[in-house]
Structure formats: structure tokens, C-alpha cells
Amino acid sequence: MWDWTSVIIYIGFAVIGGFLLKQSIMSNTRDNTITYGGAFILIWTFMAVFRYVSEYNGFITGGSDAPTYISYFKICNVPNNHLYEAHTEFLFKLLTKFIRKFTDNYRLYFLIIYSFITYAYFKFLKNINFTKISYAPLFMIMIVYAKAFSSIRTGIAIACILLGVIKYDKKKYVSCVLLMTSSVLFQRSSIIYAVYPLFAYIHKNGLLKRKKAVIYTLLGFMFGIIAQRVLMSSPVPFFKGGAYAKYILRSLEDGYFTDYMKIIADQVIVLVLYYLYLRKSSIYNRRATDWIHRTLDSMWCFDCLMTPICYVLNIWRASEYFFVPRLLMLGIFIYDFRKKITDDSKTLYDCGTILILILWFIIRLSTIYDVTDLMPLRFHL
């Protein structure tokens, strides 16, 4: 049920979070970084922990899978007690059972999980160290975060991958491998993005040329079609259970070009901007920072190459994994384009940008709220 009060609450928390992230990134002192970053983690974690979760007569509030996660948490240590036990991933079961040994309060369970997720956002963004960017799009992270109200395992997996990228960038390869492996053991569909470090290693010597990108994209479609058949007939139990197999089965039934919204329009639009515009911008004509070229560029290219594979396999939630780097790309585009307009037009440009981003936020929320039961959003202290 669409609820404008809930929309306003989401926007409010999103804007506050985006502001705090911006301040922590731009801060020149460790104390300010900790203050703003800590405030961000605290406020967004509060939102997740104290949201009202209920299930009554088939009507769910607080996230479509949230009641199931709560139910599983409460009885997870009783042998053969829950259907969810047979379909969830190993590391998530291990984490849940470990926390359950110390408490039966699901809010403490949520506190640990969502503080980890928000910490990963903060830690990843703090590594930007790049001034030629608009931080206006950062509030859009709320879209992925809110989806974690339902898909908790995916939220944890995304957090592991973002932290794994940081470890790779700092050449801490053992930690990187552990985090990427952990993401798969929390959510098996993250295996597609957990192989990013391998691509980053291959890609480290330069930017991906446009011609190669087209070739790799076509190969991605072919690989996806082959994988679609192979995985459905795979004897490996890992690929048989949960939503992963359902996605592939549904893709076989739907075909490749039906239900095109699963591609996620913003993913394609932002990546097109990257290849057609950003590569020619002054940011890439001058050496900006190692981080932009070495890490973000690799992530953007990898995201582009994975899009057709995820589309063919019908894994539409895969668009969430590198959603944050895409927002950074959009921020660079907004900043770079702003330099090309006159000073008199910049105020109008800034206001128009904010309005478009808020409208985009509302549209994205409207595409997920019903299937994820994110509305109405209420709090219960």
C-alpha cells in the first residue's frame, strides 16, 4: 500500500544520511570523521532496528521477509524446526545461531546486522578521497538499504563485497578473499560480483576500451545463456536451493527480452553516461586520483559487463551490489557538467538536480515497495 507519510520518512532519513556521509568524507580531522560517520551509522541503524515489523492475515509490514527472519532467529537453535533452515546459506545460519546463544531479542540481532551494513557504506565511501564530485546522489543509498529490510542476506553480502573491494585496493588480498567468500556464504547469488577482484587484477593496467566493452557485453549475454542451462541441470546443491534457482527457472519461462524493467533503467543509463561522456571529460583527461582510475573505474566496467549476465539469468537484485559506485559515477557526471554552464545558471542547475534526484528516489521506491512490503513505515520503540 503506497503511503506518502512513509515516503516522506524515507526521504528524511535518506537526506540526513547523505548529509552525514558527505560531511564525514570531506572532513579533514579524524574526530569529525568519527562524529559524522558514527552519527550516520547510529541514525540509519536506529531506523532499521526500531521499524515496526508484523505479519497479520497475510499483510506484512517492515519488509516482506522480515517476519521470517525474526521467526527463524527465535527458534534457529532447535533442531529441524524451520523450513528456512534447509534453504538459507551456511554463514548466515552460523551468524544467526551464534547471536541467538546470547539473546532472544531480535532487535539486538538487527542491531548487529544493520550496524555492519551501514558501517560498510561509510567505510567504502570514506576511501573516495576525491574532490571533483557532487555528493548529492549519496542519499539514494537508502534505496538499497531499505531493500535490506526484506533481503537481509543480500544486504550483508553487499556490505562484505564493498569491504572486500577496499581490502583489494589496499593489497590486503587474504582479507579480500575472505570477505568475498563470506558474501557468497551469506547470499549465493553474490557469487557473480564476488569475482570482481579477478577482473580488477586483469583490468589494472588501463581503462577498458569501448570496443572491448561491446565485445565483452555480447560475450556476457552468451555466457549468461549457457550458464542458465548449465546451472539448472547442475548436481551441486549450492545452486539448487533458494531464490537463485527460482530466478533462473523464471528466466527460462519468460525469455530474454520480456519484463525489461529487471535490467533496472538507472543501471543502464548511468553506465551509458560513463562510456559516452565521462571517458571524454576533463576528469579523465587529467590524472585525477589513483582511486578513481584504479578502483572505481574497474568497478564501473565490471558492473557494465555483469549487467547482461544478470539479466539473462533473471537475477534482478544483482543491480544492488554496485549501486553505490554507480551513484559516485553519477556524482562525477553532475559535477563535471556543472562546470560547463554559466555561473548565473548554476543555482537553477543545482535546484533542478536535487528535484530530479528526489523524483528518481520516489520512482525507485514505487518500483519496490509492494514486492518488499516497505510501506507503511512505522516505528515501535
Side-chain angles (χ1 to χ4, degrees):
M1 180 177 64
W2 184 258
D3 175 42
W4 280 106
T5 300
S6 300
V7 174
I8 293 172
I9 295 173
Y10 277 118
I11 292 175
F13 273 95
V15 171
I16 292 172
F19 170 77
L20 292 172
L21 283 171
K22 174 187 174 182
Q23 294 301 114
S24 67
I25 293 169
M26 298 179 65
S27 175
N28 294 321
T29 66
R30 186 173 182 272
D31 288 344
N32 285 341
T33 297
I34 294 175
T35 299
Y36 288 116
F40 162 73
I41 294 171
L42 181 65
I43 291 172
W44 274 27
T45 301
F46 170 89
M47 179 189 186
V49 171
F50 290 100
R51 75 187 191 275
Y52 180 64
V53 179
S54 70
E55 183 177 14
Y56 182 74
N57 287 338
F59 182 77
I60 299 175
T61 303
S64 56
D65 290 343
T68 303
Y69 283 115
I70 294 173
S71 175
Y72 175 63
F73 170 71
K74 289 181 177 180
I75 59 176
C76 63
N77 285 326
V78 178
N80 302 320
N81 55 44
H82 204 284
L83 291 175
Y84 195 74
E85 176 82 16
H87 299 290
T88 195
E89 285 79 0
F90 167 76
L91 204 53
F92 182 76
K93 289 190 289 188
L94 191 66
L95 174 65
T96 302
K97 292 178 179 182
F98 177 77
I99 298 174
R100 182 64 181 83
K101 287 182 178 181
F102 300 96
T103 180
D104 61 353
N105 188 334
Y106 79 86
R107 285 183 173 174
L108 292 177
Y109 175 54
F110 278 4
L111 176 66
I112 294 170
I113 289 174
Y114 289 105
S115 59
F116 173 70
I117 293 173
T118 51
Y119 168 78
Y121 294 151
F122 162 71
K123 189 69 174 178
F124 178 80
L125 291 168
K126 184 56 185 172
N127 276 261
I128 295 173
N129 191 26
F130 185 61
T131 57
K132 296 179 174 62
I133 187 173
S134 168
Y135 293 112
L138 289 185
F139 79 96
M140 290 287 297
I141 297 174
M142 176 58 72
I143 292 295
V144 176
Y145 184 62
K147 292 179 77 172
F149 291 178
S150 175
S151 305
I152 294 178
R153 288 174 299 143
T154 301
I156 298 174
I158 292 171
C160 288
I161 286 178
L162 291 179
L163 293 175
V165 170
I166 295 172
K167 295 299 183 182
Y168 178 84
D169 186 58
K170 294 182 177 180
K171 298 182 179 180
K172 296 181 179 179
Y173 300 124
V174 175
S175 299
C176 172
V177 171
L178 288 175
L179 283 163
M180 293 300 182
T181 303
S182 296
S183 74
V184 179
L185 295 178
F186 275 114
Q187 172 58 273
R188 70 195 73 188
S189 61
S190 69
I191 192 172
I192 294 178
Y193 276 79
V195 298
Y196 161 76
L198 178 61
F199 174 84
Y201 178 78
I202 297 172
H203 182 251
K204 66 179 180 179
N205 292 325
L207 304 178
L208 189 66
K209 303 301 181 183
R210 196 174 301 163
K211 183 177 179 180
K212 284 187 177 181
V214 173
I215 294 173
Y216 289 167
T217 301
L218 293 175
L219 289 174
F221 271 111
M222 294 176 59
F223 177 81
I225 294 170
I226 295 171
Q228 187 183 54
R229 268 69 180 177
V230 172
L231 292 179
M232 283 307 298
S233 59
S234 172
V236 181
F238 183 81
F239 294 111
K240 289 291 186 180
Y244 195 87
K246 293 180 181 178
Y247 293 152
I248 301 173
L249 180 61
R250 194 180 305 152
S251 72
L252 286 169
E253 297 171 348
D254 293 345
Y256 307 132
F257 299 104
T258 58
D259 201 5
Y260 59 90
M261 284 302 293
K262 286 186 174 62
I263 298 180
I264 305 301
D266 60 76
Q267 186 177 13
V268 175
I269 292 171
V270 173
L271 290 169
V272 168
L273 285 175
Y274 170 59
Y275 278 108
L276 297 184
Y277 176 80
L278 284 181
R279 289 300 186 86
K280 299 178 181 179
S281 74
S282 58
I283 290 173
Y284 277 93
N285 290 335
R286 297 193 302 269
R287 189 73 176 174
T289 65
D290 286 342
W291 213 82
I292 275 289
H293 284 266
R294 183 179 63 250
T295 304
L296 285 182
D297 187 83
S298 291
M299 295 182 77
W300 296 337
C301 290
F302 184 76
D303 194 30
C304 181
L305 300 182
M306 291 299 103
T307 298
I309 297 175
C310 296
Y311 174 56
V312 171
L313 294 178
N314 205 17
I315 308 174
W316 54 270
R317 71 172 54 177
S319 65
E320 302 170 27
Y321 284 92
F322 279 6
F323 186 77
V324 176
R326 285 199 301 276
L327 291 180
L328 296 178
M329 185 199 314
L330 183 61
I332 293 173
F333 170 78
I334 292 171
Y335 174 90
D336 199 60
F337 190 79
R338 189 177 186 273
K339 295 193 305 181
K340 302 179 185 302
I341 61 178
T342 62
D343 291 339
D344 294 337
S345 303
K346 287 184 177 179
T347 300
L348 181 62
Y349 175 78
D350 292 339
C351 293
T353 298
I354 293 172
L355 288 175
I356 290 173
L357 287 173
I358 292 176
L359 179 61
W360 179 28
F361 181 90
I362 295 173
I363 291 173
R364 284 300 308 268
L365 200 57
S366 71
T367 63
I368 64 172
Y369 82 97
D370 53 344
V371 295
T372 52
D373 294 312
L374 294 178
M375 297 185 191
L377 176 64
R378 299 293 184 266
F379 297 97
H380 182 68
L381 302 178

